[in-house]
Amino acid sequence: MGIKTVAVHSDVDSSAVHVKVADEAVCVGPAPTSKSYLNMDAIMNAIKQTGAQAVHPGYGFLSENKEFAKRLAAEGVTFIGPDTHAIQAMGDKIESKLIAKAAKVNTIPGFDGVVKDAEEAVKIAGEIGYPVMIKASAGGGGKGMRIAWNDEETREGFRFSSQEALSSFGDDRLLIEKFIDNPRHIEIQVLADKHGNALWLNERECSIQRRNQKVVEEIDAACTVTFVRSGSCCEYVFLTQVEHPITECITGLDLVQQMIRIAKGYKLQHKQSDIPINGWAVESRVYAEDPYKSFGLPSIGRLSQYQEPLDLPNVRVDSGIQEGSDISIYYDPMISKLVTYGKTREEALKKMEDALDNYVIRGVTHNIPLLREIIVHSRFVSGDISTKFLPEVYPDGFKGHMLTAGERRELLATAAALYVAAQLRSQKFLGDLRVSVVPAECRRWELCVELDKGVHMLGVSRSGNNYTVSEIVQNITSLVTSHKLAASLSKHMPEKVPEDTSSILRSPMPGSVVAVSVKPGDNVAEGQEICVIEAMKMQNSMTAAKTAKVKSVHCKAGDTVGEGDLLVELE
């Protein structure tokens, strides 16, 4: 559009992608969000310093903060987004519910005021009836949200939700609603100008979630209105959210461009009859998370290798990172929004399967294995989904893909053939022969391959560029020899004794210690909170695995800890 841009960033984001692609960049403070991305004074100074005429707030942080919008207006700077009235009305869950009620839209039963403290939360929850949802009034993206099934969980949820809300949005106000069990999460995109014109841009299905955060979205069919469809009563209730990539894929509209035009004062270029529904789009949210821990606990590190599957047709990747980027403990662990689209849902899902298979991420643990399993699961493919999909399909947690007999054979054969090919390739370097463990004249190899602690004897033969792999079932001597060899070497390997996890508490993820509730000599009960770890703006309570006395404490509030670091020892 010919518009020059200024990126604001924290000190740890000085090499971030958005900083590199902007025309100018200004550091607005250190890593903690309260001192940088939520620091209005620093951002206002950056605006004055650069002479910026407008601000696009992105999503999260100050994007729904009416005070920020007011300060911009006072300086004559355009806020690219809803005006202060709309932010107050839609960005604040308490007020948006009151407006929805006045418009006779169904809303979730609950307390529509600000909850003052934990004890008032317990009182309100008792009046509403358990289970209840405690959520940040100014929040979104699953931050500042907790489900409570009893008084104790309500007290704990109030504490964690208010702290997360303050950290993520600079606003710790909370409300309490009845928790809708087994709902479907539906969103509808809307776009409105300053001249009374408005469009709705079809609906999105966003029910695949973990920790109240969306993982997979799809659309068949700005600011977003969100509806939660109750599985039991089929009512629709009013909420608010923000999103756009898959909507853009099927409508052909560039919503950020539309936002900029609207902020400048132009009328909408389209009528409702102009809005198409071209095909189907699916979005997978790729996170730096370990999916084998609670469907995704944060992972940090440097992206030593990063390659997006953009060479595939009908694939879009919205990301703010690149190879060499650091994933830190300070911000949301999202790596990218991976979007595929096609003429039908089946086509879009097949493209998503291919895209996930071709996504290369090294250096951090990521959730692609979980995403891959979701999109091919029979329940998901059939559309039998709700926000409880993950705990229902994986009641014992996600364990990874369970190989069929055919897949096991294919994996063994592939591994054996690749190993031989690599060894043959290593015989030459720049055209010259070099020492190799594989004889150059050899055309058949016998390999011992281990898979899931099972040993397989495989024969590999080569003809040109073709490899044939077969399992050796008659060569008993080879099998006996391999087992004897393993046994003779095993005595030199120290036995790894499993750690007694009931007597120690280790951090399940990298993060910072928010609070420590015990000291040496204290007696703790099973399930009692010992400390609180915050990672990526989410707070997690660490509890005792048994009733015991505290032997030693190895952390204090403010410490930064890594995954596996020892926090507390019990006697």
Side-chain angles (χ1 to χ4, degrees):
M1 298 177 75
I3 300 172
K4 290 189 175 182
T5 56
V6 178
V8 294
H9 63 90
S10 67
D11 53 8
V12 297
D13 277 348
S14 59
S15 298
V17 171
H18 78 284
V19 173
K20 292 183 177 181
V21 299
D23 296 286
E24 298 178 61
V26 178
C27 182
V28 289
T33 55
S34 61
K35 298 179 180 178
S36 52
Y37 296 114
L38 290 173
N39 187 341
M40 291 190 207
D41 290 338
I43 294 174
M44 294 303 298
N45 287 336
I47 292 168
K48 293 176 182 177
Q49 174 186 331
T50 59
Q53 298 171 306
V55 173
H56 192 297
Y59 56 90
F61 299 128
L62 296 174
S63 62
E64 297 182 35
N65 189 300
K66 65 179 184 298
E67 294 304 321
F68 181 55
K70 284 181 180 178
R71 289 187 64 172
L72 291 175
E75 296 294 329
V77 178
T78 300
F79 182 76
I80 303 175
D83 59 24
T84 54
H85 169 71
I87 292 176
Q88 176 68 26
M90 296 291 100
D92 188 303
K93 289 184 173 62
I94 294 174
E95 185 157 346
S96 66
K97 283 192 66 177
L98 295 175
I99 292 172
K101 279 185 174 181
K104 294 183 170 42
V105 174
N106 288 329
T107 61
I108 301 172
F111 179 71
D112 298 328
V114 178
V115 184
K116 297 176 183 176
D117 54 38
E119 292 311 311
E120 185 182 35
V122 169
K123 177 176 178 293
I124 293 169
E127 294 171 352
I128 296 172
Y130 287 110
V132 297
M133 173 73 83
I134 303 166
K135 62 171 67 173
S137 178
K143 302 293 192 301
M145 296 177 68
R146 286 291 192 284
I147 300 168
W149 295 81
N150 54 50
D151 290 356
E152 188 55 37
E153 289 184 1
T154 298
R155 292 187 182 94
E156 184 180 84
F158 180 90
R159 178 162 63 99
F160 287 142
S161 292
S162 59
Q163 290 171 353
E164 286 176 4
L166 186 62
S167 173
S168 299
F169 315 110
D171 186 340
D172 63 358
R173 292 175 304 132
L174 302 177
L175 70 154
I176 298 181
E177 299 173 333
K178 182 71 176 177
F179 172 63
I180 296 180
D181 197 21
N182 202 34
R184 290 186 76 153
H185 181 124
I186 311 296
E187 297 185 351
I188 296 177
Q189 189 98 35
V190 297
L191 196 63
D193 63 21
K194 298 178 180 179
H195 305 280
N197 304 306
L199 300 172
W200 66 278
L201 307 177
N202 309 311
E203 73 281 2
R204 285 192 297 265
E205 163 62 71
C206 310
S207 295
I208 306 298
Q209 304 181 0
R210 55 98 185 90
R211 295 195 301 278
N212 304 307
Q213 292 178 308
K214 293 171 284 187
V215 178
V216 177
E217 301 183 25
E218 56 183 316
I219 185 168
D220 61 335
C223 167
T224 306
V225 179
T226 299
F227 294 85
V228 179
R229 178 181 181 273
S230 170
S232 58
C233 61
C234 296
E235 290 186 344
Y236 287 81
V237 290
F238 184 85
L239 298 163
T240 58
Q241 271 290 339
V242 178
E243 185 54 47
H244 74 284
I246 54 177
T247 300
E248 293 185 336
C249 286
I250 70 157
T251 62
L253 295 180
D254 183 330
L255 297 186
V256 175
Q257 183 186 54
Q258 294 297 318
M259 289 177 70
I260 295 172
R261 287 180 52 83
I262 290 169
K264 180 66 176 174
Y266 294 118
K267 292 183 178 180
L268 285 170
Q269 297 172 295
H270 305 277
K271 298 178 181 179
Q272 191 65 57
S273 58
D274 299 330
I275 306 302
I277 302 178
N278 292 325
W280 203 291
V282 180
E283 174 183 300
S284 291
R285 296 191 172 193
V286 180
Y287 284 97
E289 293 181 335
D290 185 346
Y292 305 101
K293 296 180 178 178
S294 301
F295 300 114
L297 289 184
S299 170
I300 64 169
R302 175 164 293 178
L303 289 164
S304 58
Q305 191 175 0
Y306 183 73
Q307 184 176 336
E308 297 171 347
L310 293 173
D311 56 329
L312 301 177
N314 292 359
V315 173
R316 166 177 170 173
V317 183
D318 284 17
S319 67
I321 48 87
Q322 60 188 356
E323 191 164 288
S325 292
D326 286 312
I327 306 294
S328 73
I329 65 172
Y330 298 106
Y331 312 119
D332 192 279
M334 186 185 292
I335 291 176
S336 71
K337 295 177 180 178
L338 174 64
V339 178
T340 59
Y341 47 98
K343 294 179 180 178
T344 63
R345 184 172 188 258
E346 182 181 17
E347 184 181 333
L349 289 177
K350 183 62 177 71
K351 290 182 182 296
M352 178 60 71
E353 190 178 340
D354 294 340
L356 290 169
D357 286 344
N358 284 274
Y359 213 133
V360 179
I361 302 175
R362 300 286 184 272
V364 297
T365 306
H366 54 77
N367 70 330
I368 284 180
L370 175 60
L371 295 170
R372 180 66 164 71
E373 286 298 293
I374 290 171
I375 64 161
V376 298
H377 195 280
S378 58
R379 269 191 60 177
F380 179 81
V381 172
S382 69
D384 179 17
I385 57 178
S386 73
T387 56
K388 295 173 69 175
F389 177 88
L390 290 178
E392 286 180 351
V393 172
Y394 309 105
D396 299 322
F398 179 65
K399 306 297 183 184
H401 179 69
M402 299 293 108
L403 295 172
T404 64
E407 288 172 334
R408 290 175 67 86
R409 289 194 297 271
E410 184 178 345
L411 182 58
L412 286 167
T414 302
L418 288 174
Y419 174 80
V420 171
Q423 291 300 319
L424 289 171
R425 212 166 31 243
S426 71
Q427 291 178 354
K428 290 187 177 182
F429 179 70
L430 297 179
D432 296 327
L433 288 174
R434 55 185 286 180
V435 177
S436 173
V437 296
V438 177
E441 68 279 3
C442 184
R443 286 296 175 267
R444 178 174 171 79
W445 299 263
E446 290 186 3
L447 303 177
C448 178
V449 184
E450 184 176 325
L451 175 62
D452 293 336
K453 299 183 179 179
V455 176
H456 302 263
M457 293 301 298
L458 302 180
V460 183
S461 58
R462 177 191 176 212
S463 176
N465 291 325
N466 297 319
Y467 294 86
T468 301
V469 183
S470 59
E471 188 157 12
I472 302 173
V473 293
Q474 296 177 338
N475 193 341
I476 303 300
T477 303
S478 296
L479 280 169
V480 172
T481 302
S482 69
H483 283 295
K484 282 185 177 179
L485 179 62
S488 65
L489 293 175
S490 64
K491 63 184 180 182
H492 301 292
M493 300 295 290
E495 183 180 358
K496 187 175 181 180
V497 180
E499 194 171 40
D500 181 9
T501 55
S502 67
S503 298
I504 61 169
L505 181 66
R506 293 188 181 276
S507 179
M509 61 197 160
S512 58
V513 180
V514 175
V516 179
S517 309
V518 298
K519 62 182 183 299
D522 285 354
N523 290 312
V524 295
E526 180 181 353
Q528 180 178 332
E529 181 178 288
I530 290 180
C531 63
V532 177
I533 304 295
E534 182 178 75
M536 277 82 168
K537 301 187 287 185
M538 297 291 285
Q539 296 196 355
N540 300 271
S541 176
M542 304 289 104
T543 59
K546 66 178 182 181
T547 299
K549 180 179 286 188
V550 177
K551 179 181 179 181
S552 57
V553 178
H554 299 268
C555 63
K556 63 182 184 300
D559 284 355
T560 298
V561 295
E563 181 178 352
D565 283 2
L566 182 62
L567 303 175
V568 174
E569 290 184 273
L570 304 177
E571 292 183 354

